Amino acid sequence: MKVIHTENYEQLSRQAANIIGAQIISKPNCVLGLATGSTPIGAYKELIARYENGDLDFSEVTSVNLDEYCGLTPDNDQSYRYFMNTNLFDHVNINKDKTNVPSGIAEDPEAECERYDRLIEELGGIDLQLLGIGHNGHIGFNEPDDKYTKATHIVELGKSTIEANSRFFASYDDVPKSAITMGMKSIMNAKKVLLVASGKDKQEILKKALYGPITPNVPASILQLHPDLTVIECQ
Ligand code: GLP
């Protein structure tokens, strides 16, 4: 595990973009595992700037996102598909057909979970998985539990997650109560994992996740077992 302490959010974002950019340069047809949440937004801005400068080419990149809210259509401005389009995909030369976000509106959610895992497998797995971390230690939407779930699955969101994410919605009641998330197998099988955490409020959970016992009650703690984990943090 490599932990990079940065001075501020701008530095964190540039360092994260360095690692993602290096992945794209070293393997132009790589599979990027991407994340939503507010923390990666600065890194996405940096990547867009580097694309505009002519330093990065996304034309052969494939992406797979971690998660999506159940019940939100891709054009809903709170959906993670919409987030990815507006924060990254619309501004770089990635082929939209090669960008993948699980569907939150599939008629058969179980079949959608299976399709998503098959897709990741057919792509040959993830080269670099970007992760944020929730205040309760969730990664993607893998919430604290008494067991880890390997496959992509539907999850009931915990109260603290709904509360944290309600800042993006009109009210608590508007936040979807369930989501579809990649499970631990695809995340742990990624060749590299990059975790970004910003702010004093994330320090305690980050410490628990990186140095505490490995337990599904702190889902991110499993990352201690990943052979190529980089963490970038700022307070
Ligand atoms: C959401 C996402 C996670 C993300 C987390 C933290 O719940 N599903 O993938 O890591 O929020 O978000 P933020 O970076 O805004 O703190």
Side-chain angles (χ1 to χ4, degrees):
M1 167 168 62
K2 183 177 174 190
V3 182
I4 303 173
H5 304 282
T6 58
E7 292 290 311
N8 52 44
Y9 180 67
E10 287 66 36
Q11 268 189 26
L12 174 150
S13 300
R14 279 204 302 278
Q15 298 252 21
N18 286 348
I19 292 173
I20 301 166
Q23 173 67 67
I24 298 171
I25 291 165
S26 65
K27 187 178 177 191
N29 64 346
C30 62
V31 178
L32 294 182
L34 297 178
T36 56
S38 49
T39 316
I41 291 177
Y44 292 155
K45 284 205 174 109
E46 272 293 321
L47 291 172
I48 293 166
R50 292 171 195 200
Y51 161 71
E52 286 170 348
N53 285 342
D55 292 333
L56 282 180
D57 174 12
F58 289 78
S59 63
E60 291 179 56
V61 170
T62 297
S63 70
V64 283
N65 258 80
L66 283 166
D67 47 12
E68 180 60 284
Y69 287 115
C70 287
L72 298 193
T73 54
D75 60 348
N76 184 305
D77 63 5
Q78 294 305 336
S79 76
Y80 284 171
R81 161 53 77 179
Y82 186 93
F83 175 102
M84 289 311 302
N85 286 349
T86 50
N87 284 294
L88 182 64
F89 301 154
D90 287 346
H91 309 287
V92 297
N93 67 335
I94 198 164
N95 176 350
K96 280 263 179 84
D97 295 340
K98 289 186 180 173
T99 66
N100 300 282
V101 179
S103 169
I105 51 162
E107 252 174 57
D108 182 344
E110 291 307 323
E112 173 61 7
C113 292
E114 283 166 26
R115 180 195 72 83
Y116 209 66
D117 281 340
R118 237 181 0 257
L119 167 85
I120 295 169
E121 219 176 289
E122 281 163 15
L123 289 169
I126 296 164
D127 289 300
L128 171 65
Q129 177 64 57
L130 174 64
L131 296 173
I133 183 168
H135 289 107
N136 60 7
H138 74 221
I139 47 179
F141 269 133
N142 290 278
E143 293 279 57
D145 200 346
D146 51 15
K147 59 174 188 331
Y148 283 115
T149 305
K150 276 161 74 175
T152 296
H153 58 287
I154 305 291
V155 63
E156 296 305 315
L157 299 179
K159 201 166 168 258
S160 82
T161 299
I162 297 173
E163 261 161 18
N165 291 2
S166 65
R167 69 189 194 274
F168 300 113
F169 291 81
S171 73
Y172 180 95
D173 290 338
D174 287 329
V175 186
K177 304 296 177 285
S178 59
I180 175 169
T181 183
M182 216 185 255
M184 290 303 183
K185 187 176 170 196
S186 303
I187 296 173
M188 288 301 284
N189 278 347
K191 293 185 188 80
K192 287 173 188 292
V193 174
L194 172 60
L195 176 73
V196 287
S198 161
K200 285 201 169 49
D201 56 321
K202 291 280 174 78
Q203 292 302 312
E204 196 186 325
I205 191 64
L206 193 61
K207 207 167 138 199
K208 268 194 194 163
L210 301 183
Y211 307 111
I214 298 169
T215 161
N217 285 310
V218 181
S221 61
I222 199 173
L223 297 173
Q224 293 178 38
L225 300 175
H226 194 280
D228 192 346
L229 169 67
T230 302
V231 180
I232 310 180
E233 64 89 32
C234 70
Q235 298 220 6

